[in-house]
Amino acid sequence: MNPSRDNNNRVVIIGGGPSGIAVFGALVRRGSVTSITIVDPNPVGLGNVYGDLFANDPVLLCNTPTGFMYLDDTARRDFLDYLVDRGWPVGLDDQVPRFLFGDYCRERFHTFRAEAERHGTTVTVVERRAESIRIEDDGYAVVLDNGEAVSATDIVLCIGMEIPKLAPLVQRFQGHPRLLRGSYPAARLRELAPNSHVLVLGVRSSAQDAITMLCRNGHTVTATSPSGRLSAVRDRCSVPDSAKLDRERWLSLHPDDPQIIEKVTLYLTEEVLAAGEGRSLEDQIVVEDSDTVQRLKAELAQALRGDTRWADLTYEGLFTLNSLVGPWPPEARAKLMPLAYPLLTHYVNALPVLTAQNLLANIEAGRAVIKDVFTRSIDADADGWTVVWADDSTERFDYVVSTSGFHFPRFISDGDAVIRLTHDGAIGDATVVGLTKDLRLQRQGHPAERIWAVGAACGQRYPFAHVIMLAAAQAPHVAAMLVDGAAGNVEEIAPTFGNGSRMAVAV
Ligand SMILES: Cc1cc2nc3c(=O)[nH]c(=O)nc-3n(C[C@H](O)[C@H](O)[C@H](O)COP(=O)(O)OP(=O)(O)OC[C@H]3O[C@@H](n4cnc5c(N)ncnc54)[C@H](O)[C@@H]3O)c2cc1C
């Protein structure tokens, strides 16, 4: 089924988290459609990340500053305005508790809904999980977990990330009562026996969340990973007033170019130096591989001095990376992206100063250890875990928390006319159902569907769209395609600069 637009769109948005609300707002601003149904078992607006699953503890902060968090990229100060209106003494570079962004999205949903209804659009919320999409002669049927179905002419998938991966080291212990899969929900971490000794597998953002909560709750923690490398530390990263990257030069890179690695290294070096405004590379980046704690101290000091100017490249860097690799064939992404991930996770996932200071305080107080060596073996019994480290020492732990990132959404075509929604993919995976450059699902041998994927749901093609600012940038393009039949040009979404203020709701 590939119906053409007939001004009678009945849209179903599957997933009512921030990306779903960004799409909802963009549809409302674009013009009236007949109906919009949001399908999500969670309260609309909160999503997984800013709702009960990943945000139910006030120490859990947004990873990105408020200046990077918005639902409409022409109104980038909207979240900040929302906070300031409620008395929060914060600025664009501050990280705020995660649940606040959920509150903001939920409130904006109610505003958009009122606006949609004023223009005659019927808005319905269905508190169920969607299991699959059935392709029918005159549209689609979204099949719910209770067997009922919602019919649609157009579907937007905004199903985010929800299932943490399990570290390979502990996969054989899946289901062990002392093994926690991921750092959330926070309530689960609060249930551990008092004064436990906990092994955290992973050192990135979710691991930092676990360390913060566990140490605050009175436990001791050892965190480790095969690389043992913490992310860098940064002081700020807001939307700049003007371009800092040579976008054309980046977009002219070709995946088959044998010199691509050298070129990327050269471009990055030149741009980090330019962003540094006279600072040398050594001033901005800790290059020597001292031990983890020394490196953390050195990177924190650099950030506190205001010398981590490479962070100013993050905003444009993510947009440019999506535009560069989105049009590449899947094999090229599969070959080249893994080479970039260590660098990307080190700098894009850099620890905000507050998180780094908190970690260092826990280390210096003896509550947390970042282990430089990885485990040689791990075994479980009813009372806990025995770890043999690579330096041959042995250590007992009461619990293991595995924080190895998240599975991405994946779409599977079981038969000719059904697309099943799953959460077991990896970023950059080619899956059975393809994704066009304009974010539409396409089964092999069929035309592209009127089913769009936004945010993490398009991770098979666009590596960083799960960051909310990129989903917010995709939303108006999808609304234009869906409502007005505009040509899809999602791969060309370019960053814009400066900070727009209040969100315009009225159409
Ligand atoms: C721990 C963590 C911290 C993060 N911090 C930040 C940050 O600070 N800044 C940032 O920009 N990004 C951050 N991210 C990335 C994050 O993915 C986005 O910010 C944001 O959550 C994307 O919103 P979303 O609506 O796409 O996804 P989600 O928040 O994951 O919401 C998805 C929604 O879809 C629903 N859903 C899923 N499957 C179905 C289904 N089959 N049927 C019906 N509904 C379904 C879920 O119930 C959920 O409500 C973080 C991610 C994680 C995991």
Side-chain angles (χ1 to χ4, degrees):
M1 162 69 202
N2 191 33
S4 56
R5 190 190 159 257
D6 56 6
N7 282 318
N8 287 314
N9 309 70
R10 286 173 289 110
V11 184
V12 173
I13 300 174
I14 305 180
S19 302
I21 303 309
V23 169
F24 184 63
L27 284 170
V28 174
R29 281 191 295 281
R30 189 79 203 177
S32 46
V33 297
T34 302
S35 67
I36 305 175
T37 303
I38 300 183
V39 177
D40 195 322
N42 282 323
V44 172
L46 305 184
N48 288 322
V49 173
Y50 309 96
D52 202 40
L53 191 57
F54 299 156
N56 64 359
D57 190 310
V59 298
L60 296 175
L61 302 183
C62 295
N63 299 338
T64 50
T66 55
F68 269 13
M69 306 200 67
Y70 43 80
L71 293 173
D72 172 3
D73 65 356
T74 62
R76 295 201 196 91
R77 288 175 56 99
D78 194 51
F79 179 41
L80 179 66
D81 290 340
Y82 167 91
L83 294 170
V84 170
D85 285 350
R86 282 153 190 79
W88 287 85
V90 291
L92 285 173
D93 288 331
D94 291 314
Q95 258 97 0
V96 298
R98 214 174 268 165
F99 71 86
L100 286 171
F101 190 67
D103 290 351
Y104 156 78
C105 293
R106 188 158 173 78
E107 201 164 296
R108 287 295 177 263
F109 164 65
H110 288 302
T111 314
F112 298 154
R113 178 180 193 155
E115 188 65 20
E117 289 174 344
R118 212 161 58 77
H119 284 82
T121 300
T122 305
V123 178
T124 311
V125 173
V126 176
E127 290 190 349
R128 307 263 10 153
R129 174 166 286 275
E131 292 199 326
S132 60
I133 299 168
R134 208 170 52 230
I135 297 153
E136 302 190 324
D137 290 341
D138 56 350
Y140 302 101
V142 175
V143 181
L144 308 176
D145 56 1
N146 61 355
E148 290 177 8
V150 182
S151 81
T153 56
D154 307 89
I155 295 173
V156 190
L157 295 162
C158 300
I159 58 178
M161 299 182 292
E162 52 190 18
I163 302 183
K165 291 182 194 161
L166 200 52
L169 190 68
V170 288
Q171 269 167 9
R172 70 194 162 103
F173 301 108
Q174 188 165 354
H176 191 288
R178 288 175 176 269
L179 171 63
L180 281 72
R181 184 177 187 139
S183 315
Y184 323 101
R188 176 97 203 275
L189 292 194
R190 288 196 285 268
E191 285 163 7
L192 305 194
N195 304 315
S196 291
H197 189 40
V198 184
L199 174 66
V200 172
L201 291 173
V203 293
R204 302 283 178 211
S205 318
S206 299
Q208 297 305 327
D209 285 346
I211 296 168
T212 303
M213 290 187 285
L214 289 165
C215 291
R216 189 268 326 265
N217 293 350
H219 307 295
T220 53
V221 178
T222 296
T224 187
S225 76
S227 81
R229 281 195 82 193
L230 293 169
S231 297
V233 183
R234 62 167 157 71
D235 64 331
R236 61 176 200 185
C237 67
S238 28
V239 177
D241 286 330
S242 58
K244 293 186 182 297
L245 295 186
D246 183 344
R247 183 174 161 89
E248 290 316 310
R249 163 166 94 156
W250 281 97
L251 296 191
S252 67
L253 285 171
H254 196 279
D256 295 333
D257 183 345
Q259 305 283 305
I260 189 164
I261 307 284
E262 289 75 9
K263 286 183 182 168
V264 165
T265 311
L266 174 73
Y267 298 173
L268 269 180
T269 309
E270 286 179 0
E271 281 161 355
V272 168
L273 283 171
E277 294 169 343
R279 293 167 177 83
S280 66
L281 274 188
E282 290 72 21
D283 285 340
Q284 299 184 70
I285 288 169
V286 173
V287 276
E288 91 264 13
D289 251 340
S290 49
D291 77 77
T292 308
V293 177
Q294 292 313 318
R295 189 179 173 113
L296 174 64
K297 284 183 179 168
E299 292 190 321
L300 181 57
Q302 235 171 18
L304 288 169
R305 282 197 306 271
D307 284 342
T308 50
R309 294 298 170 92
W310 47 263
D312 290 341
L313 305 175
T314 312
Y315 168 75
E316 277 175 278
L318 295 185
F319 275 92
T320 307
L321 182 69
N322 277 348
S323 298
L324 173 65
V325 311
W328 284 359
E331 315 77 60
R333 280 195 297 274
K335 186 173 134 217
L336 290 171
M337 285 307 295
L339 303 179
Y341 281 136
L343 193 73
L344 289 169
T345 49
H346 194 70
Y347 291 103
V348 172
N349 292 347
L351 305 178
V353 162
L354 206 61
T355 307
Q357 283 173 323
N358 187 26
L359 175 63
L360 193 57
N362 280 324
I363 292 171
E364 289 181 336
R367 292 184 289 262
V369 171
I370 306 294
K371 195 86 174 169
D372 281 327
V373 292
F374 197 53
T375 56
R376 172 162 300 156
S377 69
I378 185 162
D379 229 323
D381 53 48
D383 299 325
W385 303 81
T386 304
V387 166
V388 180
W389 294 103
D391 60 9
D392 284 334
S393 58
T394 302
E395 197 170 348
R396 278 289 294 175
F397 290 94
D398 301 304
Y399 297 93
V400 171
V401 181
S402 165
T403 66
S404 301
F406 289 85
H407 289 289
F408 274 72
R410 197 154 76 96
F411 312 112
I412 296 172
S413 181
D414 283 336
D416 234 9
V418 175
I419 296 173
R420 207 154 42 82
L421 315 178
T422 71
H423 274 99
D424 60 1
I427 194 165
D429 255 358
T431 68
V432 178
V433 177
L435 189 68
T436 65
K437 285 193 287 186
D438 56 359
L439 301 178
R440 291 167 72 178
L441 262 52
Q442 183 169 30
R443 296 168 301 147
Q444 265 195 347
H446 294 268
E449 303 292 340
R450 291 185 66 83
I451 305 174
W452 284 264
V454 170
C458 70
Q460 75 187 80
R461 181 143 216 151
Y462 294 96
F464 272 93
H466 55 293
V467 182
I468 190 57
M469 65 173 183
L470 291 164
Q474 291 175 340
H477 289 261
V478 168
M481 287 182 257
L482 192 158
V483 178
D484 290 331
N489 59 348
V490 169
E491 78 273 21
E492 288 162 17
I493 294 178
T496 55
F497 300 94
N499 283 294
S501 196
R502 300 270 164 185
M503 173 124 51
V505 176
V507 287

